[in-house]
C-alpha cells in the first residue's frame, strides 16, 4: 500500500471479494485493482 493512501470501505470489500468469492490470489487481486 502506498504511504498516505486511503481506501474506502467499499473498495476494501471488493478486494476481499476477489480473493474469497472469485478465487484469485492476493497478488492477482492487487494487480487487478492496480494497487
Amino acid at each position: 500500500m502506498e504511504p498516505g493512501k486511503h481506501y474506502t470501505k467499499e473498495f476494501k470489500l471488493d478486494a476481499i471479494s476477489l480473493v474469497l468469492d472469485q478465487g484469485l490470489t492476493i497478488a492477482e487481486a492487487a494487480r487487478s485493482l492496480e494497487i
Side-chain angles (χ1 to χ4, degrees), residues 1-2 5 7 11 15 18 24 26-35:
M1 190 161 106
E2 296 175 28
K5 185 96 176 179
Y7 297 100
F11 182 87
L18 287 175
L24 272 63
I26 294 172
E28 290 170 334
R31 278 192 297 271
S32 174
L33 297 167
E34 299 179 356
I35 55 173

